[in-house]
Amino acid sequence: MITAKNLYKNFGKLKVLDGVSMEVASGEVSVLLGPSGSGKSTFLRCLNGLERIDSGEIIIDNVYLARNRKSIAEIRSEIGMVFQHYNLFPHLSVLQNLMLAQRVVRKRRVRKALEISRELLRKVGLSEKENSLPAELSGGQAQRVAIARALCMKPKIMLFDEPTSALDPVMTAEVLRVIRKLAGEGMTMVVISHEIDFARDVASMMHFMYNGRIIESAPPDNFLNSPRSEIIKEFLKIAK
Ligand SMILES: Nc1ncnc2c1ncn2[C@@H]1O[C@H](COP(=O)(O)OP(=O)(O)OP(=O)(O)O)[C@@H](O)[C@H]1O
Ligand SMILES: [Mg+2]
């Protein structure tokens, strides 16, 4: 479903992606971790064309990500992305937030958009909040609305960039429960997260990024119990 081959990207003189490759098959969950500034967010942003790579290849569900708007638009329509800060429109209700892109991008009729919005609010456990404004939600609830909003577009892939790092433990658990459910339903996902227990449960593969490279990739048991790299051993000591 996702093929990233030999991605390179610089910001000025700074090498941010230094030959990154990753394959994610349909229904698999890749968990990406690594220290701050190692390039994780940049990698994710490149995958859906928010950021341009200098060289390398990205293929999403058999579509080659080229440098033209058409292919970027095509790829983005397959991918939902959720960030650390949920970026809901503050002046719109939960329901309006969910309906907006469906109406504008997917050109869905009001009734259809409403139906899908309510279905996904139910899924994230927030049916009773449809008329609330984002400011009236807890961080965990707002993040679940952001997830529902992304799911309304019926993406084939979901990308999560530290979806719980701004949340307290209770809200983190609420959000992770939703992501686990998606994993159980076979959604293909790349998740940047340092929640180790969560990663152990849902990851097909775990990847460690360091200075713009993925220095180790392994299934969670191997990755967590017997990482080869000393850097990862040290990192996991702190993360646990
Ligand atoms: N638009 C930009 N312009 C210039 N430099 C950037 C830009 N975006 C990111 N960088 C730099 O690229 C490097 C990688 O950033 P990135 O956000 O991908 O790291 P990260 O692994 O996601 O870190 P964190 O864990 O803190 O989120 C950092 O040194 C960052 O300062
Ligand atoms: Mg980041």
Side-chain angles (χ1 to χ4, degrees):
M1 187 64 89
I2 303 174
T3 300
K5 240 188 261 174
N6 243 341
L7 308 188
Y8 285 84
K9 171 153 191 82
N10 292 358
F11 284 119
K13 285 184 182 162
L14 185 68
K15 270 191 184 173
V16 180
L17 299 181
D18 192 15
V20 174
S21 298
M22 184 186 287
E23 298 252 358
V24 188
S26 179
E28 281 188 355
V29 180
S30 270
V31 171
L32 179 61
L33 64 172
S36 182
S38 56
K40 305 180 296 297
S41 296
T42 304
F43 170 68
L44 226 56
R45 292 166 58 78
C46 287
L47 283 186
N48 73 347
L50 283 175
E51 203 77 72
R52 217 158 95 167
I53 50 176
D54 296 333
S55 65
E57 284 185 352
I58 295 172
I59 302 160
I60 303 288
D61 193 21
N62 296 316
V63 179
Y64 184 90
L65 178 58
R67 284 187 176 182
N68 58 66
R69 278 197 193 170
K70 185 163 169 283
S71 93
I72 292 174
E74 194 175 341
I75 278 184
R76 271 198 211 148
S77 74
E78 307 267 313
I79 300 182
M81 187 154 177
V82 174
F83 304 89
Q84 179 178 359
H85 298 286
Y86 9 86
N87 307 323
L88 298 173
F89 292 108
H91 58 295
L92 298 181
S93 72
V94 164
L95 206 50
Q96 288 167 331
N97 263 284
L98 262 58
M99 289 180 62
L100 185 62
Q102 297 188 65
R103 299 271 296 139
V104 176
V105 180
R106 288 284 196 259
K107 313 267 187 248
R108 285 188 190 135
R109 290 173 186 279
V110 173
R111 193 190 291 182
K112 185 74 189 163
L114 202 55
E115 186 188 316
I116 292 173
S117 300
R118 291 195 164 131
E119 166 199 326
L120 287 157
L121 274 183
R122 203 158 42 239
K123 180 172 204 145
V124 300
L126 288 173
S127 296
E128 76 282 11
K129 297 288 186 189
E130 65 172 50
N131 294 315
S132 302
L133 289 170
E136 297 163 347
L137 303 174
S138 76
Q141 290 170 341
Q143 191 60 298
R144 284 184 283 150
V145 170
I147 294 171
R149 181 176 59 175
L151 292 172
C152 279
M153 307 302 281
K154 303 285 178 185
K156 292 186 175 156
I157 294 169
M158 285 288 287
L159 306 177
F160 291 90
D161 190 347
E162 305 207 38
T164 63
S165 59
L167 304 177
D168 73 24
V170 173
M171 296 192 289
T172 294
E174 292 170 355
V175 170
L176 293 182
R177 198 175 310 130
V178 170
I179 302 176
R180 278 174 205 261
K181 187 149 77 171
L182 290 177
E185 291 168 359
M187 176 68 81
T188 308
M189 299 193 275
V190 181
V191 186
I192 300 176
S193 174
H194 296 115
E195 297 288 337
I196 301 296
D197 291 335
F198 162 78
R200 193 194 313 276
D201 291 349
V202 305
S204 321
M205 289 291 272
M206 292 181 70
H207 307 268
F208 194 87
M209 198 161 217
Y210 190 74
N211 283 343
R213 296 180 185 199
I214 292 179
I215 60 169
E216 198 157 326
S217 298
D221 279 347
N222 295 350
F223 186 97
L224 295 168
N225 300 332
S226 46
R228 277 172 290 135
S229 154
E230 287 301 323
I231 297 163
I232 300 178
K233 283 180 197 163
E234 285 305 311
F235 190 88
L236 290 175
K237 269 188 213 160
I238 300 164
K240 279 172 190 165

